[in-house]
Amino acid sequence: MNAVECKKVKKQFKEKTVFEELNLKIEAGKIYGLLGRNGSGKTTLMNLITTKYLPTEGEIEVFGEPVYENENVLRKICFMSDYMPAFLNSSVKNLLKDAAAFYDNWDQAYAEKLLQLFQIEKKESYNVLSKGKKTCIGIIIGMASNCELTIFDEIYSGLDAVARQQFYDLILEDYMEKQRTFILSTHLISEMGNLFSDLILIDQGKVLIQGEVEELRTRIYAFSAKPELLEKMNPHTVLKKESFGGTEKRILNGTFTSEELSEYQLQGIKVESLSLQDIFITLTTGEVKE
């Protein structure tokens, strides 16, 4: 079952078109990393899914139902970002009370446990909390909501290293137990890469790549050798090409068998796997570099 499906979605703000025709399926029961440079369309996508924006054209379904003006579906979605203006001028106690009234599967005991973990008192005012503690409130509500679709938009940016690791552990523990669908928008690619089961990479309003992380890692490699050796390789899509003296480096996207990679190495071609961050940089830095 799909947690989210976007069908020919167009989103336009006056003269600016963010999405021309977005088609996207997000399967239920996975942890998605949503990646993209600033202005790529990530936040617009999340705002469309959560009905903060309406599409100019097209349809969006969540768990098989239209999301707009559908309270039954909206109660299944929890969206938390690093800035929640609706939380201002409220106490932590009242924020949790409001969340409990809205989310059908709210877990108050879990919320209390997370308050202790992040060392936050219910009597405190949200306004006076540090940026890191405000971030923790978003995490607590997102996790304790038990929503089938939970979206965190850069919520970890205000956390120190210890708190970020605590958050990552919470995501994995919860996912192993309940198989919720998480969408995590982030720029902390190298740090969070091991959390994701799947990846969605958006650039300039288009989905550049989507798929399972492990499958993606086996499709994109860097090959370095003299140009004449690289020319003899089986044809693959060239994502990037760089020259260093008499050596050329090509980053290729394709289907590579272990035997094929071993054969290239025997021919004197250096083969390197890429981190998610390297893949992200390669795919979002424009045309092939000569």
Side-chain angles (χ1 to χ4, degrees):
M1 184 181 196
N2 292 322
V4 179
E5 184 171 2
C6 300
K7 303 176 181 179
K8 297 183 177 180
V9 170
K10 179 177 182 177
K11 182 57 186 175
Q12 188 167 358
F13 298 96
K14 295 183 179 179
E15 301 300 320
K16 181 180 180 181
T17 300
V18 179
F19 296 116
E20 185 63 52
E21 187 175 311
L22 177 67
N23 292 290
L24 177 67
K25 293 180 180 180
I26 297 176
E27 295 181 38
K30 292 187 173 184
I31 303 176
Y32 281 85
L34 179 60
L35 309 182
R37 301 177 73 179
N38 292 334
S40 63
K42 301 190 308 299
T43 299
T44 299
L45 173 60
M46 290 180 284
N47 284 329
L48 286 166
I49 293 171
T50 56
T51 72
K52 290 178 174 60
Y53 293 159
L54 296 176
T56 306
E57 296 177 10
E59 300 176 1
I60 297 177
E61 293 182 353
V62 173
F63 298 112
E65 296 183 48
V67 68
Y68 297 99
E69 298 182 347
N70 189 335
E71 186 173 341
N72 177 56
V73 170
L74 291 175
R75 286 177 179 271
K76 297 179 181 180
I77 306 171
C78 185
F79 173 62
M80 291 288 138
S81 71
D82 62 344
Y83 177 63
M84 301 294 293
F87 289 1
L88 298 175
N89 303 316
S90 186
S91 67
V92 172
K93 180 180 179 179
N94 285 338
L95 288 174
L96 299 187
K97 182 180 178 180
D98 291 343
F102 183 76
Y103 297 114
D104 295 334
N105 296 318
W106 177 260
D107 188 336
Q108 183 64 29
Y110 189 37
E112 300 277 356
K113 177 182 176 181
L114 295 182
L115 284 173
Q116 292 182 4
L117 176 66
F118 294 119
Q119 301 178 345
I120 300 173
E121 298 288 338
K122 285 197 289 185
K123 64 183 180 181
E124 293 184 89
S125 169
Y126 182 83
N127 289 8
V128 302
L129 294 176
S130 67
K131 180 174 175 57
K133 296 297 185 183
K134 287 177 180 176
T135 293
C136 291
I137 295 298
I139 289 172
I140 291 168
I141 293 175
M143 298 304 296
S145 71
N146 277 315
C147 284
E148 294 175 49
L149 174 59
T150 304
I151 304 172
F152 289 112
D153 180 17
E154 292 289 351
I155 200 166
Y156 357 85
S157 60
L159 298 177
D160 60 32
V162 172
R164 289 201 305 273
Q165 187 57 55
Q166 289 173 324
F167 171 66
Y168 304 154
D169 291 342
L170 291 173
I171 290 283
L172 288 175
E173 289 169 8
D174 193 280
Y175 176 74
M176 294 299 292
E177 180 182 350
K178 302 169 186 172
Q179 294 287 292
R180 290 161 69 178
T181 305
F182 288 99
I183 300 176
L184 309 175
S185 170
T186 184
H187 288 98
L188 301 175
I189 303 169
S190 59
E191 185 172 297
M192 295 183 66
N194 291 332
L195 274 178
F196 309 142
S197 62
D198 286 65
L199 199 67
I200 300 170
L201 175 55
I202 295 179
D203 190 53
Q204 297 181 24
K206 296 180 180 179
V207 177
L208 288 188
I209 199 162
Q210 178 182 1
E212 295 182 359
V213 170
E214 290 309 311
E215 191 268 341
L216 179 60
R217 292 183 195 273
T218 64
R219 282 171 45 194
I220 300 178
Y221 288 88
F223 300 87
S224 301
K226 293 182 178 181
E228 53 267 29
L229 282 177
L230 297 178
E231 289 296 332
K232 296 178 182 179
M233 294 177 61
N234 294 330
H236 295 287
T237 301
V238 180
L239 300 177
K240 192 173 183 179
K241 185 190 296 185
E242 296 177 317
S243 296
F244 306 93
T247 300
E248 188 173 281
K249 180 177 182 179
R250 296 183 184 180
I251 297 178
L252 306 181
N253 181 12
T255 301
F256 301 95
T257 65
S258 56
E259 292 80 8
E260 183 180 7
L261 294 175
S262 297
E263 180 61 29
Y264 289 146
Q265 289 176 315
L266 290 174
Q267 294 172 11
I269 298 173
K270 183 180 179 181
V271 179
E272 300 173 274
S273 59
L274 300 182
S275 67
L276 285 184
Q277 181 156 306
D278 289 335
I279 292 172
F280 169 77
I281 292 171
T282 298
L283 290 172
T284 59
T285 49
E287 298 179 356
V288 174
K289 290 186 178 181
E290 297 291 348

